[in-house]
Amino acid sequence: MPVYSMTGYASAQHSTGATTPDGEAKAPAGQLGLEIRSVNSRFLDLSFRLPEDLRQFEPALRDLLVGALKRGKVEVRASIEMQAASTIAEPSPRMLQRLNAVQDNVKAWLPTATPLSVADVIRLSSAEQTGSYDWAAVVVPLADKALKALLDSRKREGARLSTMLLDHLSQLRALAQQAVPLIPQLVEQNRQKFLARWKEAMALTDGATLPEAAQDRALTEATAFAIRIDVAEEITRLSSHLDEIERLINKGGEIGKRLDFLIQELHREANTMGSKSAALELTHISVDMKVLIEQMREQVQNIE
């Protein structure tokens, strides 16, 4: 399965202005535009900015998005832009008949009512034409088209992030390999330092037997220091986390939350290596690891 980013953008447009078989316009010439923007978020957060004519379709749009997206802050915007007519549209004969019948009915009850003017007829005719357009046949299919384009966009971004993460994994493995041979060297250096201090302490006793308490304390300190500088366990766990991250990336799907957890574990191991470091080389390796892991954290936060 592919890896999807939570960042993406898509848009779709539909031109209006269709007519009925008798030549009566169903809607003025214009364009319906729909945009979907998506950024990273811990959960799926949907928001809609729709004109009044399209508010009734929000539940259908929500169901469409929930069925395709799992995480991300998603904003849907729609707009209706009607083209300004260069000439005044002429009302159809059927519209004039209806207006005349309504006027006669009103005058039968209200004889003093003002007759319709030409401006009134044009205004009522335009309102009737605009309101008769069936947006239900357009909005959801248009949103589905934009959603597919959004998924393609998120898929492309996810592939780019996967490539970057795999590259960082290779660099982290190389740093871990640099640290491995340093461990026995540090342990040996510590052993030599302990033996030197031990011989120095024995020399100060002028051949007398060193107190048992002093011997125990020296052994305890030497053992504790050897354990403190031994980072072999941290490197083993770090390598295990790197293998799991690579497996998840190759598997794909909804892996963002698991990757985020593993990045935290990587950061913990790198921090522990730095705190245990008894050599400048290990300190540099730990710092380089943390820089790479922080870059990975930023990238993982965009993965669904």
Side-chain angles (χ1 to χ4, degrees), residues 86-140:
S86 57
T87 58
I88 299 176
E90 181 179 353
S92 65
R94 194 174 74 176
M95 173 64 67
L96 292 174
Q97 290 176 0
R98 290 206 304 266
L99 290 176
N100 188 55
V102 170
Q103 177 175 249
D104 290 343
N105 189 33
V106 170
K107 281 192 171 184
W109 290 90
L110 302 172
T112 60
T114 304
L116 288 172
S117 65
V118 174
D120 292 334
V121 172
I122 294 175
R123 177 174 53 81
L124 292 172
S125 176
S126 299
E128 177 70 16
Q129 292 173 2
T130 302
S132 64
Y133 194 81
D134 183 13
W135 293 112
V138 175
V139 175
V140 176

Side-chain angles (χ1 to χ4, degrees), residues 3-58:
V3 174
Y4 286 95
S5 169
M6 286 186 283
T7 302
Y9 171 82
S11 64
Q13 293 78 36
H14 175 81
S15 297
T16 64
T19 58
T20 59
D22 61 0
E24 185 177 352
K26 294 176 65 176
Q31 182 171 269
L32 168 63
L34 191 143
E35 296 181 346
I36 307 179
R37 302 173 186 270
S38 174
V39 296
N40 62 307
S41 176
R42 292 184 61 191
F43 308 101
L44 182 59
D45 181 10
L46 303 179
S47 62
F48 297 87
R49 296 191 176 184
L50 307 175
E52 285 298 328
D53 291 346
L54 305 180
R55 288 289 178 85
Q56 58 180 314
F57 304 109
E58 181 175 328

Side-chain angles (χ1 to χ4, degrees), residues 187-252:
V187 173
E188 178 61 21
Q189 291 175 10
N190 176 64
R191 189 179 72 86
Q192 295 297 332
K193 289 179 182 179
F194 172 72
L195 290 175
R197 289 196 300 269
W198 179 263
K199 291 178 181 179
E200 182 181 352
M202 291 297 291
L204 292 175
T205 62
D206 295 327
T209 303
L210 197 65
E212 184 177 351
Q215 295 183 32
D216 292 342
R217 180 174 180 182
L219 289 171
T220 300
E221 290 181 357
T223 302
F225 186 75
I227 294 174
R228 185 175 71 82
I229 67 172
D230 188 0
V231 295
E233 185 177 350
E234 284 73 20
I235 293 179
T236 299
R237 287 197 296 264
L238 187 141
S239 298
S240 176
H241 296 328
L242 294 178
D243 291 341
E244 178 64 12
I245 290 174
E246 183 175 8
R247 187 189 70 80
L248 288 174
I249 293 174
N250 291 329
K251 175 185 175 184

Side-chain angles (χ1 to χ4, degrees), residues 138-213:
V138 175
V139 175
V140 176
L142 189 67
D144 185 62
K145 178 181 177 182
L147 177 59
K148 290 177 180 177
L150 177 71
L151 291 175
D152 289 340
S153 172
R154 287 167 56 131
K155 181 179 178 180
R156 289 192 299 270
E157 179 66 14
R160 188 183 69 85
L161 292 175
S162 297
T163 301
M164 295 175 65
L165 287 173
L166 291 174
D167 180 64
H168 287 344
L169 290 180
S170 298
Q171 295 181 55
L172 286 171
R173 285 196 174 97
L175 289 172
Q177 288 301 315
Q178 294 177 26
V180 169
L182 295 176
I183 299 172
Q185 296 177 17
L186 293 174
V187 173
E188 178 61 21
Q189 291 175 10
N190 176 64
R191 189 179 72 86
Q192 295 297 332
K193 289 179 182 179
F194 172 72
L195 290 175
R197 289 196 300 269
W198 179 263
K199 291 178 181 179
E200 182 181 352
M202 291 297 291
L204 292 175
T205 62
D206 295 327
T209 303
L210 197 65
E212 184 177 351

